[in-house]
Amino acid sequence: MKAADGGQGGRKGRIVRSRKRSEAAFVRARASLVGGVNSPVRAFRGVGGTPVFLASGKGCRVTDVDGNTYIDYLASWGPLILGHAPAAVVAAIRRRAGLGTTFGAPTPEESELAELVRKAFPSIEKLRFVSSGTEATMSALRVARGFTGRDLVVKFEGGYHGHSDGLLVKAGSGATTLGVPDSAGVPAAFAERTATLPFNDVAALDAFFGERGSEVAAVIVEPLPANMGVVPPRAGYLERLRELTKQHGALLVLDEVITGFRVAFGGAQELWKIRPDLTCLGKIIGGGLPVGAYGGRADVMAKVAPEGPVYQAGTLSGNPVAMAAGLATLRQLRSKAVYRRLEKLAARLEAGLAAAAHEGGVPVRIHRVGSVMTLFFRDGGEVVDYASALCSDRDRYARFFHAMLERGVYLPPSQFEAFFVSTAHDEKAIDQTIAAAKEAMRVAAG
Ligand code: KE4
């Protein structure tokens, strides 16, 4: 996609000087790293232009290799609910690393973090730490298949659960069908074990379960989808999903990799009172280091090796330094005041962005739950699922993204991701963001 001209358009308020070092760093990176990045979405393909190479972060701000500073709403795609390099987390990492970084043997910190997770998520009776959200969801579905003896898994269009083969699937023709691979290298046989339904469509759920409910091992769902942009579930939708899975002996797997400890200390299941059979966690629980987790009903998790026949393992699972970072992070989230603060700041940002769009005559839809939100450049019509999210104006988002970047605000480089507010943001940073948005909306209007 060619670079958007957002940064070149409206010049007012631009503060970013040059990004020559990022450009040089990108040339160098591409010589060794595929696409110059270690995860595709970082390559700015969704917005065009050269990715910004970052040098450091502190609080709610990051600084790039050219010395430009930005107010950060990417938050590393979600983990940094306390902002960058929070003192207590850095101290915990330093202290633990000095005692040895990994043993491949059990350490007490793993039990400490597991107990904290279980306190926040009463549905998690037993769990296992892994090193990414992908590992968590992949393992949870293997356990669900092992426990039920069934093969079929259901996911939703626009739902993203990491890059394991069985989950890189999109619906074939029609909205309810056997999946076809969404990536080269995924055998059709794998994809055929995954059905894909449209999100927020109860009729589609009822029809599918009416026909094939007895074959379903598990349904995996982001209770608050954030990988098609943030699309809240309609009232009663998750409850119906819970009823149908129970009725047909299928397991309900909530993928709370983003929402866990984000929308509430106990995630979306606390907010919306849904008790799943299994939960997948990641991002925040590692406090910025690689941690994922899956867990839930003790009778289901008893299937996992070494207790049961479902194998799952990992050299760095439960890594003591990552456990220390996770513990230091979650300990700071235990007070309700933290979530009230996040709500206040995020509501201020939402209102300011809506006002900026209105002032600029730009139609938008803003979806927000707590400190996670998406600003859809959607002209008319609701965004209730993947199909309607795809109707958003990606070029307009790209112009807005670059105009904000030029004004010192770092947003996710894709219309179909989420902004995150952290406890390190304050009213001043939010108001600076809104001032930049007022100008960027004029650029976005094109
Ligand atoms: P990881 O394997 O990237 O740790 O987690 C996969 C995953 C699982 N479930 C949900 C709901 C997720 O959002 C993710 C990963 N999120 C993406 C961005 N939304 C990570 C960014 C990237 O791929 O670089």
Side-chain angles (χ1 to χ4, degrees):
M1 176 178 189
K2 74 175 178 41
D5 70 353
Q8 313 313 324
R11 309 194 70 78
K12 190 161 170 274
R14 293 179 63 216
I15 55 171
V16 168
R17 294 180 300 279
S18 112
R19 283 214 295 269
K20 289 212 173 337
R21 287 192 179 166
S22 271
E23 279 147 26
F26 196 37
V27 170
R28 176 185 175 196
R30 285 207 307 272
S32 311
L33 297 165
V34 176
V37 293
N38 284 303
S39 198
V41 73
R42 303 178 190 171
F44 273 28
R45 295 290 171 91
V47 291
T50 302
V52 177
F53 277 63
L54 297 181
S56 63
K58 188 65 191 148
C60 70
R61 286 176 169 79
V62 288
T63 302
D64 70 15
V65 292
D66 290 280
N68 301 302
T69 299
Y70 308 85
I71 301 169
D72 179 30
Y73 292 94
L74 182 62
S76 183
W77 307 95
L80 301 178
I81 195 165
L82 300 180
H84 291 271
V89 177
V90 172
I93 291 170
R94 282 208 173 103
R95 189 171 46 250
R96 190 63 195 130
L99 298 171
T101 55
T102 179
F103 305 105
T107 61
E109 283 86 348
E110 294 158 71
S111 307
E112 252 182 281
L113 185 57
E115 286 152 12
L116 217 168
V117 168
R118 288 183 57 215
K119 209 165 163 49
F121 289 80
S123 70
I124 298 180
E125 296 166 345
K126 278 285 182 76
L127 66 115
R128 168 70 56 85
F129 288 116
V130 291
S131 299
S132 69
T134 293
E135 269 194 278
T137 58
M138 173 179 73
S139 309
L141 292 180
R142 186 181 306 142
V143 179
R145 287 176 161 139
F147 178 79
T148 59
R150 300 175 181 179
D151 285 350
L152 192 57
V153 156
V154 177
K155 71 177 282 288
F156 295 90
E157 284 173 15
Y160 178 71
H161 308 286
H163 64 88
S164 63
D165 282 348
L167 288 168
L168 286 179
V169 168
K170 63 184 169 197
S173 59
T176 306
T177 179
L178 287 184
V180 292
D182 195 15
S183 161
V186 175
F190 282 36
E192 284 162 10
R193 294 283 175 276
T194 305
T196 306
L197 303 180
F199 184 69
N200 264 336
D201 182 338
V202 170
L205 275 185
D206 287 336
F208 187 85
F209 271 90
E211 199 187 320
R212 310 194 58 186
S214 61
E215 300 170 53
V216 178
V219 175
I220 185 166
V221 65
E222 295 172 68
L224 172 68
N227 285 286
M228 51 176 117
V230 172
V231 178
R234 283 189 167 123
Y237 183 73
L238 295 176
E239 291 75 5
R240 183 60 183 147
L241 186 54
R242 178 64 285 186
E243 269 166 34
L244 283 167
T245 44
K246 259 206 182 94
Q247 191 186 325
H248 292 273
L251 299 189
L252 178 60
V253 181
L254 290 191
D255 178 348
E256 296 227 41
V257 167
I258 284 185
T259 52
F261 297 99
R262 169 63 66 179
V263 296
F265 193 62
Q269 58 192 271
E270 173 192 307
L271 208 54
W272 293 324
K273 310 271 179 288
I274 296 279
R275 190 176 177 97
D277 300 296
L278 291 175
T279 297
C280 301
L281 297 169
K283 297 186 192 272
I284 289 173
I285 65 169
L289 296 193
V291 179
Y294 67 101
R297 280 169 43 189
D299 60 332
V300 176
M301 292 302 286
K303 289 286 182 189
V304 181
E307 286 181 14
V310 177
Y311 195 70
Q312 180 273 312
T315 303
L316 295 173
S317 298
N319 173 272
V321 183
M323 297 291 105
L327 275 164
T329 299
L330 300 194
R331 283 178 181 139
Q332 302 218 11
L333 297 175
R334 276 185 294 204
S335 88
K336 289 214 179 294
V338 165
Y339 291 92
R340 281 196 299 273
R341 173 84 178 136
L342 287 169
E343 173 59 29
K344 189 162 168 271
L345 288 170
R348 187 184 186 106
L349 178 62
E350 177 188 4
L353 292 173
H358 181 72
E359 216 175 275
V362 179
V364 298
R365 290 228 170 240
I366 303 179
H367 289 175
R368 177 179 71 81
V369 176
S371 59
V372 56
M373 74 181 87
T374 295
L375 184 149
F376 290 100
F377 283 94
R378 180 89 163 84
D379 191 351
E382 286 187 298
V383 178
V384 293
D385 57 13
Y386 191 43
S388 47
L390 289 178
C391 297
S392 306
D393 185 334
R394 279 170 257 198
D395 290 340
R396 182 164 272 181
Y397 181 84
R399 290 197 297 275
F400 181 71
F401 170 85
H402 282 287
M404 290 294 269
L405 199 63
E406 299 298 336
R407 288 162 179 78
V409 178
Y410 195 102
L411 301 176
S414 162
Q415 167 68 95
F416 306 110
E417 295 287 353
F419 302 8
F420 295 98
V421 175
S422 78
T423 57
H425 286 84
D426 55 21
E427 283 77 2
K428 185 163 172 280
I430 300 286
D431 293 347
Q432 280 175 342
T433 305
I434 293 163
K438 286 193 172 110
E439 293 163 14
M441 280 295 174
R442 277 195 285 280
V443 177

